[in-house]
Amino acid sequence: DSGVTQTPKHLITATGQRVTLRCSPRSGDLSVYWYQQSLDQGLQFLIQYYNGEERAKGNILERFSAQQFPDLHSELNLSSLELGDSALYFCASSVTGSPGIHNEQFFGPGTRLTVL
Amino acid sequence: GEDVEQSLFLSVREGDSSVINCTYTDSSSTYLYWYKQEPGAGLQLLTYIFSNMDMKQDQRLTVLLNKKDKHLSLRIADTQTGDSAIYFCAEPWGNTPLVFGKGTRLSVIA
């Protein structure tokens, strides 16, 4: 158990809908990362927050948004869902998240999103 | 652009050594990582190596780094069935905290 929790574990929805994925980082970790894992694209970095502020942005679609709240939990919002958004979405956390230094990222178990 | 390459599959017999290879892109990466993903689970950090090192050993795991060729390898000695998983090589790239390879699926035959 990494200490990172994600809810829900599974989510099935229809195209065009909007969903919210939730992540609680390990106690004491200030940085939260979101990743998407799909068969064709592999594991792709979406976005990173540090202590409530966006720190780095990856291949995140405009239909997707995220935020980190004062209690450090984070939510990833996916809207206007398409079939291709079906994937495993992982959240990870680390103590700092500063570039150039070793930041061990602890991964949650993931949320499996199925868009029908 | 960033690109981390790994072979997709590796099959070994229990008790043999496994060697998983990776080539990475960014020669300025300060750290390089190996993550393990077991079926139905998230990723777990296995080990990492600082870029000024050539080798790092941690129990059954040996990481070799060839900076000139941008080549990273992970050797698992005395491979067990519990080692069956997907292994990801990863490096920081620019502002991206981690860029992952596609993963190598290791199958261990008893």
Side-chain angles (χ1 to χ4, degrees):
Chain A
D1 184 355
S2 66
V4 178
T5 59
Q6 290 188 248
T7 55
K9 199 166 178 155
H10 300 277
L11 201 46
I12 301 174
T13 189
T15 54
Q17 295 297 305
R18 173 190 167 93
V19 296
T20 297
L21 313 184
R22 186 189 165 103
C23 167
S24 292
R26 288 187 329 150
S27 175
D29 284 358
L30 297 179
S31 211
V32 168
Y33 312 77
W34 286 98
Y35 292 88
Q36 180 194 59
Q37 186 178 35
S38 61
L39 278 173
D40 51 343
Q41 297 289 328
L43 195 60
Q44 295 227 310
F45 167 70
L46 296 178
I47 198 163
Q48 177 197 1
Y49 279 82
Y50 175 76
N51 206 19
E53 301 285 325
E54 183 185 302
R55 173 159 278 186
K57 211 165 187 173
N59 297 325
I60 187 165
L61 299 171
E62 279 191 23
R63 301 183 285 109
F64 296 0
S65 65
Q67 54 185 330
Q68 186 180 26
F69 295 86
D71 67 352
L72 301 177
H73 92 271
S74 177
E75 291 181 356
L76 179 67
N77 300 295
L78 315 176
S79 62
S80 304
L81 284 166
E82 302 175 2
L83 295 177
D85 298 327
S86 295
L88 256 177
Y89 290 84
F90 287 109
C91 168
S93 72
S94 67
V95 174
T96 59
S98 301
I101 64 169
H102 169 56
N103 291 295
E104 179 169 356
Q105 292 185 32
F106 293 85
F107 280 74
T111 293
R112 182 171 292 281
L113 173 67
T114 303
V115 182
L116 300 175
Chain B
E2 75 279 17
D3 206 7
V4 178
E5 300 277 349
Q6 299 179 240
S7 51
L8 293 181
F9 300 98
L10 177 64
S11 183
V12 300
R13 293 199 178 280
E14 193 174 22
D16 287 351
S17 290
S18 309
V19 179
I20 302 171
N21 294 301
C22 166
T23 55
Y24 61 94
T25 305
D26 190 356
S27 58
S28 66
S29 289
T30 48
Y31 293 90
L32 292 143
Y33 297 87
W34 284 104
Y35 278 83
K36 176 183 179 182
Q37 184 179 27
E38 295 187 22
L43 277 75
Q44 172 196 356
L45 179 65
L46 262 187
T47 187
Y48 64 95
I49 188 167
F50 188 44
S51 60
N52 69 353
M53 298 169 68
D54 298 324
M55 184 182 91
K56 179 179 179 181
Q57 189 145 3
D58 184 1
Q59 300 182 336
R60 292 190 298 122
L61 305 178
T62 303
V63 179
L64 294 177
L65 175 60
N66 180 331
K67 283 193 74 174
K68 177 176 159 286
D69 295 336
K70 296 183 191 169
H71 184 263
L72 184 72
S73 69
L74 173 70
R75 179 176 179 268
I76 306 173
D78 186 27
T79 313
Q80 302 297 307
T81 53
D83 295 323
S84 294
I86 303 176
Y87 291 81
F88 292 90
C89 169
E91 64 163 339
W93 190 85
N95 286 329
T96 302
L98 284 177
V99 174
F100 287 87
K102 289 272 199 288
T104 300
R105 184 178 295 272
L106 174 64
S107 298
V108 182
I109 306 161

